[in-house]
Amino acid sequence: MKKYSFLILFAAAFACKNKPSADAKVAAFAISEAAIGKVDTSTITEYTISNPSGMKVSILNYGGTVTKIITKDKAGNDGDVVLGFDSLAGNLQKGNPYFGVLVGRYANRIAKGKFTLDGKTYQLATNNGPNALHGGLKGYDKVVWTVEKLAGDSCLQLTYKSKDGEEGYPGNVVATVVYTLSSANELKIDYKATTDKATPVNLTNHCYFNLSAGADSTILNHELTLVADKYTPVDTTLIPTGKIEPVKGTPMDFTAPKLIGKDLASVAGGYDHNWVLNKTGKGLELAATLYHVASGRYMEVFTTEPGIQFYSGNFLDGTLTNTKGGKKYVQHAALCLETQHFPDSPNEPSFPSVILKSGETYTHTSVYKFSVK
Ligand code: BGC
């Protein structure tokens, strides 16, 4: 057994060129696919990548949605650690709160849906109170992406071409996202984008995690760490005030592992904020850890991005239909850890810039690594 784990470990960390193993006893990477319905004339396909240790990640060409992440608990039992639906009708329902999707062109909020770039003011749809949220009425989460299986059976490349003027944003943007499952149980997401006119770009993934895999109805008993000494406080519409404040001594302090339920009641509306990561450079660095003691499941999040939105599923209210196993997804049923640039950056010159110019390439890598302890 030891020998096989050793082999697996070196088989294909993060490569898209995993060679089939000569040893039949060592399972290989594989990608299976199943058509699950149609959106307009496009067939919607669910692709499932599996790795040699049995972890599985399923992804749709609709919205680039991660529909399932199957990982083992400490007893070796498989469980699905993300919320989702049992059919495409679930994904398509009005009010789907972005389960598992790719969010773009601009993840999170832009105040009043307005920004000025190169002397021109752009008005986006306001789809979240007075603000624009997650790319508009039909963001990258509600479009069909072109999918290509890359060599090695561990990577899927998704491409979406967003037109100049789409959802009010300037510039033709080509967004490419590569989902890779490694032999070390890492789901890596590589984002790239180019444009032919300056435009704000902020891409992320919106998985709702519950590491109990259905055993606990909420994440209040999950232990979270955020590698962030500071966060961006918000107004009542969840737009950052522009200040960057220390978390020390406040309910926002997750610098050491803390149960999510511990201080939640003292945060008006629950956690739905951007933390400023303690980055030391531009590379991939640890941003968060999440631990569910009973199952032993442990998740680490690494990112190249400067921020992370921790959203504690505050608006889930048990009303979604076509959920997996008919489950009621109640308030705090799951949480999102959205690696990102800070919300409303186009209107906040003191925040790191989100403006992508013609000739430049936007890049972002995030890794969700699963293990047990
Ligand atoms: C936002 C929440 C919002 C949710 C939508 C999160 O990224 O921060 O405020 O309700 O997405 O599902």
Side-chain angles (χ1 to χ4, degrees), residues 95-99 103 107-109 128 133-134 204 206 208 238 271-273 309-311 314-316 336 338 340:
N96 167 6
Y98 301 88
F99 276 9
V103 189
N108 216 305
R109 291 173 176 81
N128 186 254
L133 176 70
H134 291 338
T204 195
H206 211 286
Y208 281 69
L238 297 175
Y271 294 106
D272 196 354
H273 299 76
Q309 183 88 4
F310 161 40
Y311 168 57
N314 314 324
F315 299 112
L316 295 172
C336 302
E338 302 152 60
Q340 61 179 8

Coordinates of all heavy atoms in Angstrom, one line a residue, residues 95-99 103 107-109 128 133-134 204 206 208 238 271-273 309-311 314-316 336 338 340, ligand 1:
G95 N -33.4 32.6 -8.6 CA -32.9 32.6 -7.2 C -31.9 31.6 -6.9 O -31.5 31.5 -5.7
N96 N -31.4 30.8 -7.8 CA -30.2 29.9 -7.6 C -29.1 30.8 -7.1 O -28.6 31.7 -7.8 CB -29.8 29.2 -8.9 CG -28.5 28.5 -8.7 OD1 -27.8 28.5 -7.7 ND2 -28.0 28.0 -9.8
P97 N -28.7 30.7 -5.8 CA -27.7 31.6 -5.3 C -26.3 31.3 -5.7 O -25.4 31.3 -4.9 CB -27.9 31.5 -3.8 CG -28.4 30.1 -3.6 CD -29.1 29.7 -4.8
Y98 N -26.1 31.1 -7.0 CA -24.7 30.9 -7.6 C -24.0 29.7 -7.1 O -22.8 29.7 -6.9 CB -23.9 32.2 -7.3 CG -24.5 33.5 -7.8 CD1 -25.4 34.2 -7.1 CD2 -24.1 33.9 -9.1 CE1 -25.9 35.4 -7.6 CE2 -24.7 35.1 -9.6 CZ -25.6 35.8 -8.9 OH -26.1 37.0 -9.4
F99 N -24.8 28.6 -6.8 CA -24.2 27.3 -6.4 C -23.1 26.9 -7.3 O -23.4 26.5 -8.5 CB -25.2 26.2 -6.3 CG -26.0 26.2 -5.0 CD1 -26.0 27.2 -4.1 CD2 -26.9 25.1 -4.8 CE1 -26.7 27.2 -2.9 CE2 -27.7 25.1 -3.6 CZ -27.6 26.1 -2.7
V103 N -18.0 33.0 -11.5 CA -18.6 34.3 -11.4 C -17.8 35.3 -12.2 O -16.6 35.4 -12.1 CB -18.7 34.8 -10.0 CG1 -19.6 36.1 -9.9 CG2 -19.3 33.7 -9.1
A107 N -17.0 39.6 -10.1 CA -17.5 38.9 -8.9 C -17.7 40.0 -7.8 O -16.9 40.9 -7.7 CB -16.5 37.8 -8.5
N108 N -18.7 39.8 -7.0 CA -19.0 40.7 -5.9 C -19.7 42.0 -6.4 O -20.1 42.1 -7.6 CB -17.8 40.9 -5.0 CG -18.3 41.0 -3.5 OD1 -19.1 41.8 -3.2 ND2 -17.7 40.1 -2.7
R109 N -19.7 43.0 -5.6 CA -20.5 44.2 -5.8 C -19.8 45.4 -6.4 O -18.6 45.6 -6.1 CB -21.2 44.6 -4.5 CG -22.2 43.6 -4.0 CD -22.7 44.0 -2.6 NE -23.8 43.0 -2.3 CZ -23.5 41.8 -1.8 NH1 -22.3 41.3 -1.6 NH2 -24.6 41.0 -1.6
N128 N -28.9 43.8 -7.1 CA -28.8 43.5 -5.7 C -29.0 44.8 -4.9 O -28.1 45.5 -4.6 CB -27.4 42.9 -5.4 CG -27.2 42.4 -4.0 OD1 -26.5 43.0 -3.2 ND2 -27.8 41.3 -3.7
L133 N -24.3 43.0 -8.7 CA -23.7 41.8 -8.1 C -23.3 40.7 -9.1 O -24.2 40.4 -10.0 CB -24.6 41.3 -7.0 CG -24.2 40.0 -6.3 CD1 -23.0 40.2 -5.4 CD2 -25.3 39.3 -5.5
H134 N -22.1 40.2 -9.0 CA -21.7 39.0 -9.7 C -22.0 39.0 -11.2 O -22.5 38.1 -11.8 CB -22.5 37.8 -9.1 CG -22.0 37.4 -7.7 ND1 -20.8 37.8 -7.2 CD2 -22.7 36.7 -6.7 CE1 -20.7 37.3 -6.0 NE2 -21.8 36.6 -5.7
T204 N -14.2 34.5 -10.1 CA -14.0 33.6 -8.9 C -15.0 32.4 -9.1 O -15.7 32.3 -10.1 CB -14.4 34.3 -7.6 OG1 -13.9 33.5 -6.5 CG2 -15.8 34.5 -7.4
H206 N -17.9 30.0 -6.9 CA -18.9 30.2 -5.9 C -19.4 28.9 -5.3 O -20.6 28.8 -5.1 CB -20.0 31.1 -6.4 CG -20.6 32.0 -5.4 ND1 -21.5 31.5 -4.5 CD2 -20.5 33.3 -5.3 CE1 -21.9 32.6 -3.8 NE2 -21.4 33.7 -4.2
Y208 N -20.5 26.3 -2.5 CA -21.0 26.3 -1.2 C -20.5 25.1 -0.5 O -21.0 24.0 -0.8 CB -22.5 26.4 -1.2 CG -23.1 27.7 -1.5 CD1 -23.0 28.3 -2.7 CD2 -23.8 28.4 -0.5 CE1 -23.6 29.5 -3.0 CE2 -24.4 29.6 -0.8 CZ -24.3 30.2 -2.0 OH -24.9 31.4 -2.3
L238 N -23.6 46.3 1.8 CA -22.4 45.5 1.6 C -21.4 46.0 0.7 O -20.6 45.3 0.1 CB -22.8 44.0 1.2 CG -23.7 43.3 2.3 CD1 -24.2 41.9 1.8 CD2 -22.9 43.1 3.6
Y271 N -21.7 36.6 8.4 CA -20.5 37.0 7.7 C -20.7 37.1 6.2 O -21.3 36.1 5.6 CB -19.4 35.9 7.9 CG -18.9 35.8 9.3 CD1 -19.3 34.8 10.2 CD2 -18.1 36.8 9.8 CE1 -18.9 34.7 11.5 CE2 -17.6 36.8 11.2 CZ -18.0 35.7 12.0 OH -17.6 35.7 13.3
D272 N -20.4 38.2 5.6 CA -20.5 38.4 4.1 C -19.5 39.5 3.8 O -19.9 40.6 3.4 CB -21.9 38.7 3.8 CG -22.2 38.6 2.3 OD1 -21.2 38.3 1.5 OD2 -23.3 38.7 1.9
H273 N -18.2 39.3 4.0 CA -17.2 40.3 4.0 C -16.0 39.9 3.2 O -15.7 38.7 3.1 CB -16.8 40.7 5.4 CG -17.9 41.3 6.2 ND1 -18.8 40.5 6.8 CD2 -18.2 42.5 6.6 CE1 -19.7 41.2 7.5 NE2 -19.3 42.5 7.4
Q309 N -13.7 36.5 0.0 CA -15.0 36.8 0.6 C -15.5 35.5 1.4 O -15.6 34.4 0.8 CB -16.0 37.1 -0.5 CG -17.4 37.4 -0.1 CD -17.6 38.9 0.2 OE1 -16.6 39.7 -0.1 NE2 -18.7 39.4 0.7
F310 N -15.7 35.7 2.6 CA -16.2 34.6 3.4 C -17.7 34.9 3.6 O -18.1 35.9 4.2 CB -15.5 34.5 4.8 CG -16.3 33.7 5.8 CD1 -17.0 32.6 5.5 CD2 -16.3 34.1 7.1 CE1 -17.8 31.9 6.5 CE2 -17.0 33.4 8.1 CZ -17.8 32.3 7.8
Y311 N -18.6 34.1 3.0 CA -20.0 34.3 3.0 C -20.6 33.1 3.8 O -20.4 32.0 3.4 CB -20.5 34.4 1.6 CG -22.0 34.3 1.5 CD1 -22.9 35.2 2.2 CD2 -22.7 33.4 0.7 CE1 -24.2 35.2 2.1 CE2 -24.0 33.3 0.6 CZ -24.8 34.2 1.3 OH -26.2 34.1 1.2
N314 N -25.9 33.3 4.5 CA -26.9 34.0 5.3 C -28.3 34.1 4.6 O -29.3 34.1 5.3 CB -26.5 35.5 5.6 CG -25.0 35.5 6.0 OD1 -24.6 34.6 6.7 ND2 -24.3 36.5 5.6
F315 N -28.3 34.1 3.3 CA -29.6 34.2 2.6 C -30.3 32.9 2.2 O -31.3 32.9 1.6 CB -29.4 35.1 1.3 CG -28.9 36.5 1.7 CD1 -27.6 36.9 1.3 CD2 -29.7 37.4 2.4 CE1 -27.2 38.2 1.6 CE2 -29.2 38.7 2.7 CZ -28.0 39.1 2.3
L316 N -29.6 31.8 2.5 CA -30.3 30.5 2.3 C -31.4 30.4 3.3 O -31.3 30.7 4.4 CB -29.3 29.4 2.5 CG -28.1 29.3 1.6 CD1 -27.1 28.2 2.1 CD2 -28.5 29.0 0.2
C336 N -19.2 30.0 1.6 CA -18.4 30.2 0.4 C -17.1 30.9 0.8 O -17.1 31.7 1.7 CB -19.1 31.2 -0.6 SG -20.7 30.6 -1.1
E338 N -14.7 32.8 -1.4 CA -14.5 33.3 -2.8 C -13.2 34.1 -2.9 O -13.1 35.2 -2.4 CB -15.7 34.2 -3.2 CG -17.0 33.5 -3.1 CD -18.2 34.4 -2.8 OE1 -18.4 35.4 -3.6 OE2 -18.8 34.3 -1.7
Q340 N -10.7 36.6 -4.5 CA -11.1 37.7 -5.3 C -10.2 38.9 -5.1 O -9.4 39.0 -4.2 CB -12.5 38.0 -5.0 CG -12.6 38.5 -3.5 CD -14.0 38.9 -3.1 OE1 -15.0 38.7 -3.8 NE2 -14.2 39.4 -1.8
Ligands
BGC1 C1 -22.3 37.5 -1.7 C2 -23.6 37.4 -1.0 C3 -24.7 36.9 -1.9 C4 -24.2 35.6 -2.5 C5 -25.2 35.2 -3.5 C6 -22.0 36.2 -2.2 O1 -20.8 36.2 -2.9 O2 -21.3 38.1 -1.0 O3 -24.0 38.7 -0.4 O4 -25.9 36.8 -1.3 O5 -23.0 35.7 -3.0 O6 -25.4 33.9 -3.4

